[in-house]
Amino acid sequence: MSISLSSLILLPIWISMAQILQGGPDEKEKTTALKDLLSRIDLDELMKKDEPPLDFPDTLEGFEYAFNEKGQLRHIKTGEPFVFNYREDLHRWNQKRYEALGEIITKYVYELLEKDCNLKKISIPVDATESEPKSFIFMSEDALTNPQKLMVLIHGSGVVRAGQWARRLIINEDLDSGTQIPFIKRAMDEGYGVIVLNPNENYIEVEKPKIHVQSSSDSSDEPAEKRERKDKVSKEIKKRRDFYEKYRNPQREKETMQLYIRENGSPEEHAVYVWDHFITQSAAENVFFVAHSYGGLAFVELMIQREADVKSKVTAVALTDSVHNVWHQEAGKTIREWMRENCCNWVSSSEPLDTSVESMLPDCPRVSAEGSQFLPPMLFFTHLWSIGNKGKTEGTKQQQNHRT
């Protein structure tokens, strides 16, 4: 079906080329232009003419999904879990639908952070003008005033945003598995202040302005006859290109450009910015970090840039499947020594929970998270607090020894 349809669509171009090739030398320019047009027609893209519009709902209700009392995403009519292949043989359309749902879930998690966790949404940069791009983080009311403990959460890379560990787990499992909300609630129950970073919100996307290119023939010194012939060829090419464009890409999406957020243009920049403008201002005697995947790399980069400050303020760090590399990031000996004493990295492994896992890097200990393919920190929740309490105890002992 797709081959015959493609041939039917391309047939007028082939006929035109055959007619041109029978002409004289003056037709060479037309031949070159048509060959160029043919070379840029993607047969796979051509089939998008049968693709439904990329027009999706902007609410969970519009998708006919809702989270039930267990935090599971279910269809409101059938009670079934989310179905990715909503339309057979239309992977691109299904992926776009999944992404549209993911954006709604991101906003839904933001709402939960504010309503269920009572966190405040703080805009950054703190001195941003009205017109410049902005991002935000979330903080508890006592994040900067709690004199004892502060918990800082950093998620990994990709599409996840503040409050999430994994979008896939939120959609296919439940909110407890895929979000940071259980961590946040437990931390607040234990008397911690909380700061939730948003390291992937690095830019905003705006539509590219259309650039009008003036025709070169307007200022050309070419003879009028030749210029007229070229203009005629150009108009014919444009006419054909516009005609076939509706077949090649009927779902053409807007071309966008990225406007980066000042001092927050990458996860590493974001971690340093939040440290400088918020964490250093906190009254907490002990700061604890929980960092997943790329969040671990961002923390190590923070240590490299603010080593003395981090050592004086951070008590313990729990990493999960961290992708940091102390060699590639050029972390010094003193940083590696500090990480061995104050960090632990839980990694995917078939070994029993907390079993030591061999590492080629001379930094923090690596222990098993017992076979999880994707590792949300909830799997070893109680272990995190034991590390934090141990780190806090060691810090207190050092202070007492120093006083005596």
Side-chain angles (χ1 to χ4, degrees):
M1 173 63 184
S2 62
I3 295 177
S4 61
L5 180 59
S6 301
S7 300
L8 182 63
I9 294 169
L10 295 173
L11 184 60
I13 298 182
W14 291 332
I15 293 174
S16 298
M17 287 191 65
Q19 292 173 342
I20 291 172
L21 289 173
Q22 293 176 359
D26 291 341
E27 303 295 335
K28 287 184 178 180
E29 291 184 35
K30 291 183 181 180
T31 304
T32 302
L34 285 172
K35 284 182 177 179
D36 176 64
L37 178 58
L38 270 174
S39 69
R40 287 185 283 119
I41 291 179
D42 186 329
L43 293 181
D44 291 331
E45 294 285 323
L46 200 62
M47 294 302 101
K48 290 178 184 174
K49 71 180 295 292
D50 297 323
E51 185 180 75
L54 300 177
D55 184 18
F56 303 106
D58 57 4
T59 64
L60 280 177
E61 293 77 12
F63 271 95
E64 297 188 325
Y65 281 97
F67 287 99
N68 62 21
E69 65 279 0
K70 296 180 180 179
Q72 300 166 323
L73 188 68
R74 294 291 183 266
H75 196 276
I76 58 177
K77 294 180 180 178
T78 67
E80 294 296 316
F82 176 75
V83 177
F84 178 86
N85 289 317
Y86 187 75
R87 292 179 180 267
E88 293 294 332
D89 302 322
L90 287 174
H91 179 80
R92 176 178 179 271
W93 188 90
N94 289 328
Q95 179 63 34
K96 292 294 183 181
R97 174 175 173 265
Y98 177 82
E99 292 171 3
L101 176 64
E103 291 303 308
I104 295 171
I105 287 175
T106 291
K107 294 177 183 177
Y108 182 81
V109 173
Y110 288 159
E111 292 178 4
L112 292 179
L113 293 180
E114 292 187 276
K115 294 178 181 178
D116 285 14
C117 301
N118 297 315
L119 301 185
K120 297 186 300 181
K121 186 177 179 180
I122 308 298
S123 180
I124 56 175
V126 293
D127 60 346
T129 63
E130 188 67 27
S131 59
E132 75 171 296
K134 305 174 188 66
S135 181
F136 49 86
I137 60 173
F138 290 89
M139 300 196 314
S140 62
E141 288 284 351
D142 66 339
L144 302 184
T145 58
N146 189 316
Q148 297 298 323
K149 300 177 289 187
L150 174 67
M151 179 70 64
V152 182
L153 302 176
I154 315 179
H155 59 64
S157 60
V159 297
V160 291
R161 294 296 186 269
Q164 300 181 45
W165 293 126
R167 175 185 288 181
R168 177 176 61 82
L169 288 181
I170 297 173
I171 293 176
N172 298 323
E173 299 294 333
D174 53 44
L175 289 167
D176 279 358
S177 299
T179 74
Q180 300 171 349
I181 290 173
F183 254 107
I184 295 167
K185 289 184 175 180
R186 173 67 182 273
M188 297 176 76
D189 288 344
E190 296 282 342
Y192 287 79
V194 175
I195 296 181
V196 179
L197 271 63
N198 202 9
N200 292 335
E201 193 77 10
N202 306 130
Y203 55 82
I204 62 172
E205 285 192 350
V206 297
E207 188 175 354
K208 269 187 178 180
K210 294 181 179 179
I211 302 175
H212 299 283
V213 181
Q214 189 176 11
S215 174
S216 60
S217 61
D218 293 345
S219 57
S220 174
D221 293 331
E222 293 177 330
E225 183 180 349
K226 186 176 181 180
R227 185 165 63 248
E228 183 178 338
R229 186 169 63 249
K230 287 181 67 176
D231 287 345
K232 185 177 179 181
V233 171
S234 178
K235 288 177 182 178
E236 284 296 320
I237 292 172
K238 185 179 185 305
K239 183 178 178 181
R240 289 190 174 95
R241 183 181 291 118
D242 290 345
F243 176 76
Y244 292 113
E245 179 63 23
K246 71 178 181 179
Y247 293 101
R248 192 193 72 81
N249 191 6
Q251 302 290 349
R252 170 183 274 184
E253 299 172 58
K254 295 179 180 179
E255 292 188 23
T256 61
M257 58 187 296
Q258 298 171 349
L259 300 179
Y260 280 85
I261 297 165
R262 174 164 52 89
E263 298 183 81
N264 287 269
S266 69
E268 296 91 330
E269 277 191 5
H270 178 75
V272 173
Y273 185 89
V274 175
W275 176 270
D276 288 345
H277 291 82
F278 297 95
I279 301 174
T280 58
Q281 308 303 317
S282 72
E285 184 178 352
N286 297 287
V287 176
F288 301 85
F289 273 80
V290 180
H292 174 67
S293 186
Y294 201 89
L297 185 148
F299 174 79
V300 172
E301 187 62 29
L302 170 64
M303 273 217 73
I304 292 170
Q305 296 194 36
R306 302 288 187 271
E307 180 177 353
D309 292 341
V310 170
K311 287 180 177 179
S312 68
K313 205 163 183 68
V314 176
T315 299
V317 181
L319 305 174
T320 65
D321 274 339
S322 175
V323 298
H324 72 274
N325 187 305
V326 291
W327 293 136
H328 292 165
Q329 294 181 259
E330 299 182 354
K333 179 181 178 181
T334 54
I335 290 177
R336 300 196 300 270
E337 290 175 346
W338 186 89
M339 290 181 66
R340 278 196 290 271
E341 296 297 325
N342 297 275
C343 300
C344 186
N345 187 16
W346 277 268
V347 297
S348 300
S349 171
S350 59
E351 297 295 325
L353 185 65
D354 285 340
T355 302
S356 180
V357 177
E358 186 178 356
S359 173
M360 298 181 64
L361 297 175
D363 53 11
C364 60
R366 286 160 48 99
V367 297
S368 171
E370 201 168 1
S372 179
Q373 290 183 347
F374 183 87
L375 193 62
M378 270 300 298
L379 290 178
F380 51 89
F381 197 94
T382 56
H383 298 271
L384 166 65
W385 259 259
S386 66
I387 287 181
N389 290 331
K390 177 183 176 182
K392 184 176 67 171
T393 301
E394 291 298 322
T396 303
K397 288 181 180 178
Q398 291 177 7
Q399 290 179 359
Q400 290 174 346
N401 292 337
H402 179 74
R403 289 167 185 165
T404 57

